[in-house]
Amino acid sequence: MKTSIYSNKILLGMIDIMLDFLIENKECSLCKVYNCQDSRCSNADLCKNLLFDGVMRLAKQNKYF
């Protein structure tokens, strides 16, 4: 088992901050596809969930898990 210098709580907090930054800069998938015209774009939680799921899917494909 690897020893990490960061706790899970700190890493999740870092991810949360980065996702907020991406959403503020309209880097969400919905914003890109629908040019912020989709009614779902006003829901930051949806954007955050979509971004988190996308990053998790990429990490799993790259065998980080």
Side-chain angles (χ1 to χ4, degrees):
M1 177 184 238
K2 286 184 180 179
T3 304
S4 176
I5 60 171
Y6 301 107
S7 71
N8 287 342
K9 187 174 181 180
I10 290 173
L11 290 173
L12 288 173
M14 291 168 64
I15 291 169
D16 192 54
I17 290 167
M18 288 186 286
L19 291 177
D20 285 340
F21 180 76
L22 289 171
I23 292 167
E24 286 174 12
N25 288 290
K26 296 184 168 80
E27 294 298 330
C28 173
S29 302
L30 286 175
C31 293
K32 293 292 188 189
V33 173
Y34 298 108
N35 196 27
C36 300
Q37 301 302 311
D38 191 292
S39 62
R40 297 173 290 178
C41 287
S42 62
N43 185 345
D45 288 336
L46 176 64
C47 290
K48 191 176 274 192
N49 289 338
L50 290 172
L51 287 167
F52 187 86
D53 290 345
V55 171
M56 187 180 337
R57 186 175 58 246
L58 288 171
K60 286 179 179 179
Q61 288 174 353
N62 290 318
K63 305 201 180 7
Y64 287 106
F65 292 99

